């Protein structure tokens, strides 16, 4: 297999040196050039025709977002963003993923050498995976008007009784690479009274809060970063904090979010399998499981557990996925009832939410 040809774009000479050396140490990657700013990068892209670009978020002469937007509009190619672990870095990186960047990795403000050494395998894997993606041209899309957000108190307070444990549909969603944009598409299509949604997206701790805030701004639902003990309510979506597992639990009177600071599962924290397993144990057939684009297989076995207890299960199809790893693994495992394009998933979930809840039936079949 040919090596993945990479152009490193960063205004820091030290980062260019360290990142180039780290990438070149992988036998499947070749760094074909470096650039100190987007204008130099523009010329080198034409000269070198790299397979993947690593792009710093904050750049001189032309900021990284403007360059990325121009690049994805005129010459779409796989881009992996290099972000700082700051709130500003998180906001810009999420916007970059919205424009079309495939993935990102973070760099600290100090001790760069050790950071890159410790993360070398993960970063190289992200770059090689990016080379296999199919970036789409970036176009500015006019956002749909979001209707005013009202709470259920505007009509009648919702009653909570112990007998409703298995009668309320709750949608559990898992995603990884490409998932921030897939989740946005899903949430933008949901009405303000949609069933509750619990979400695990593989994301660093510094990014989950800004990501939840961004989703809240574009959805008719109320979207937040999940808090421990937070009640699960219709019209709300709860995103797992980076660095903590999100579990759906029954506390004797209502469903709540539980956060767990346990070990990584499938090398991830939060893990989709943890969310899906807790959902299967808590509400079983009343759940709806959804696995979106992502690298690896986290969530595949958990989705199978949901299906075996009677819950409807859906995966994103390969054509609309940035990486068909997690949904592909679930599909091959027989964990999904349906495989759908991203644009059709929200509508299908709303239909499934109206169907009668059928108790476990597949485990014995």
């Amino acid at each position: 297999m040919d090596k993945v040809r990479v152009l490193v774009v960063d205004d820091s000479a030290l980062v260019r040196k360290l990142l180039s050396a780290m990438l070149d140490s992988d036998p499947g990657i070749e760094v074909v050039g470096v650039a100190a700013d987007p204008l130099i990068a523009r010329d080198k892209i034409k000269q070198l025709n790299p397979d993947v670009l690593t792009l710093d978020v904050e750049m001189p002469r032309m900021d990284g977002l403007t360059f990325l937007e121009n690049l994805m509009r005129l010459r779409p190619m796989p881009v992996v963003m290099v972000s700082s672990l700051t709130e500003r870095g998180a906001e810009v990186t999420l916007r970059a993923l919205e424009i079309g960047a495939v993935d990102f990795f973070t760099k600290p403000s100090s001790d760069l050498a050790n950071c890159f050494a410790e993360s070398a395998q993960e970063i190289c894997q992200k770059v090689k995976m990016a080379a296999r993606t199919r970036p789409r041209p970036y176009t500015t899309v006019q956002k749909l008007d979001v209707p005013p957000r009202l709470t259920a108190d505007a009509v009648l307070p919702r009653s909570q009784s112990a007998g409703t444990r298995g009668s309320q549909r709750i949608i559990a969603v898992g995603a990884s690479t490409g998932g921030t944009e897939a989740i946005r598409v899903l949430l933008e299509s949901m009405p303000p009274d949609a069933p509750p949604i619990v979400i695990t997206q593989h994301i660093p701790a510094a990014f989950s809060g800004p990501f939840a805030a961004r989703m809240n701004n574009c959805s008719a639902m109320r979207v937040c970063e999940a808090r421990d003990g937070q009640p699960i309510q219709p019209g709300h979506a709860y995103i797992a904090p980076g660095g903590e597992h999100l579990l759906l639990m029954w506390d004797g009177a209502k469903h709540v979010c539980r956060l767990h600071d346990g070990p990584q599962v499938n090398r991830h924290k939060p893990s989709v399998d943890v969310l899906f397993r807790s959902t299967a144990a808590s509400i079983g057939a009343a759940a709806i499981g959804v696995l979106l684009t992502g690298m690896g297989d986290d969530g595949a076995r958990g989705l199978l557990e949901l299906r075996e207890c009677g819950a409807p299960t859906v995966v994103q199809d390969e054509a609309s996925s940035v990486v068909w790893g997690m949904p592909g693994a679930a599909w091959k495992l027989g964990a999904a009832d349906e495989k759908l394009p991203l644009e059709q998933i929200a509508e299908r979930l709303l239909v499934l939410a109206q169907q009668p809840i059928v108790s476990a039936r597949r485990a014995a079949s």
Side-chain angles (χ1 to χ4, degrees), residues 91 94 149 180 183 187 199 203 206-219 221-226 237-241:
E91 289 287 353
L94 292 170
R149 187 179 290 136
T180 56
I183 290 168
L187 291 178
I199 301 169
I203 199 166
F207 285 71
S208 53
F211 174 54
R214 180 177 288 270
M215 295 301 98
N216 187 55
N217 289 335
C218 70
S219 175
M221 301 183 73
R222 289 186 178 272
V223 186
C224 64
E225 187 178 41
Y238 308 85
I239 295 176

Side-chain angles (χ1 to χ4, degrees), residues 63-118:
D63 69 85
L65 285 183
T66 301
F67 175 68
L68 179 65
E69 187 172 322
N70 291 337
L71 180 68
M72 300 309 292
R73 186 174 65 249
L74 302 174
R75 190 192 186 282
M77 65 177 295
V79 175
V80 178
M81 301 301 293
V82 184
S83 172
S84 59
L85 278 169
T86 64
E87 184 174 349
R88 163 68 180 166
E91 289 287 353
V92 175
T93 302
L94 292 170
R95 173 60 182 154
L97 295 171
E98 186 177 309
I99 292 171
V102 175
D103 208 339
F104 69 94
F105 57 86
T106 57
K107 62 177 179 181
S109 57
S110 61
D111 201 16
L112 288 170
N114 284 334
C115 173
F116 281 143
E118 292 172 359

Side-chain angles (χ1 to χ4, degrees), residues 3-8 20 23-24 29-35 44-45 47-53 77:
K3 291 186 176 183
V4 175
R5 304 172 74 254
V6 181
L7 176 65
V8 174
S20 296
L23 292 172
D24 269 331
I29 298 175
E30 177 187 3
V31 176
V32 295
V34 297
K44 292 205 171 185
I45 289 171
Q47 297 169 7
L48 302 171
N49 193 31
D51 301 314
V52 177
L53 199 72
M77 65 177 295

Side-chain angles (χ1 to χ4, degrees), residues 67-299:
F67 175 68
L68 179 65
E69 187 172 322
N70 291 337
L71 180 68
M72 300 309 292
R73 186 174 65 249
L74 302 174
R75 190 192 186 282
M77 65 177 295
V79 175
V80 178
M81 301 301 293
V82 184
S83 172
S84 59
L85 278 169
T86 64
E87 184 174 349
R88 163 68 180 166
E91 289 287 353
V92 175
T93 302
L94 292 170
R95 173 60 182 154
L97 295 171
E98 186 177 309
I99 292 171
V102 175
D103 208 339
F104 69 94
F105 57 86
T106 57
K107 62 177 179 181
S109 57
S110 61
D111 201 16
L112 288 170
N114 284 334
C115 173
F116 281 143
E118 292 172 359
S119 306
Q121 183 177 4
E122 177 188 359
I123 294 172
C124 290
Q125 187 178 28
K126 286 176 181 283
V127 167
K128 288 188 285 189
M129 183 61 68
R132 296 162 53 186
T133 63
R134 304 172 296 277
R136 299 178 182 178
Y138 173 73
T139 56
T140 303
V141 179
Q142 184 176 4
K143 288 183 178 278
L144 297 175
D145 290 333
V146 178
R149 187 179 290 136
L150 301 176
T151 68
D153 291 340
V155 179
L156 183 69
R158 185 178 178 85
S159 62
Q160 297 281 347
S161 63
T164 62
R165 179 176 182 182
S167 63
Q168 175 183 258
R169 288 287 191 185
I170 299 178
I171 300 170
V173 178
S176 185
T177 309
T180 56
E181 276 308 286
I183 290 168
R184 179 186 63 80
V185 171
L186 177 67
L187 291 178
E188 279 186 339
S189 302
M190 286 292 182
D193 60 348
I197 303 177
V198 286
I199 301 169
T200 287
Q201 160 74 40
H202 297 161
I203 199 166
F207 285 71
S208 53
F211 174 54
R214 180 177 288 270
M215 295 301 98
N216 187 55
N217 289 335
C218 70
S219 175
M221 301 183 73
R222 289 186 178 272
V223 186
C224 64
E225 187 178 41
R227 304 188 309 273
D228 189 55
Q230 188 174 14
I232 302 293
Q233 302 178 51
H236 290 64
Y238 308 85
I239 295 176
E244 294 185 89
H245 294 301
L246 173 61
L247 294 81
L248 175 65
M249 304 291 287
W250 177 255
D251 77 347
K254 57 187 179 297
H255 296 107
V256 298
C257 297
R258 286 294 180 200
L259 303 182
H260 192 280
D261 188 20
Q264 292 185 351
V265 174
N266 301 321
R267 297 184 178 176
H268 293 288
K269 183 180 175 183
S271 163
V272 182
D273 267 342
V274 172
L275 174 63
F276 284 175
R277 172 167 288 184
S278 68
T279 303
S282 177
I283 60 173
I288 301 174
V290 187
L291 198 53
L292 302 176
T293 175
M295 182 168 57
D297 64 358
D298 186 33

Side-chain angles (χ1 to χ4, degrees), residues 169 284-289 302-314 333-338 348 352 355-365:
R169 288 287 191 185
I288 301 174
L303 195 71
L304 181 61
E305 292 180 20
L306 284 170
R307 188 171 190 263
E308 287 176 342
C309 68
T313 54
V314 178
L333 194 62
D337 294 312
E338 301 178 75
R348 182 56 180 158
L352 291 172
Q355 294 182 355
I357 297 170
V358 180
S359 58
R361 61 188 183 279
R362 297 187 178 96
S365 62

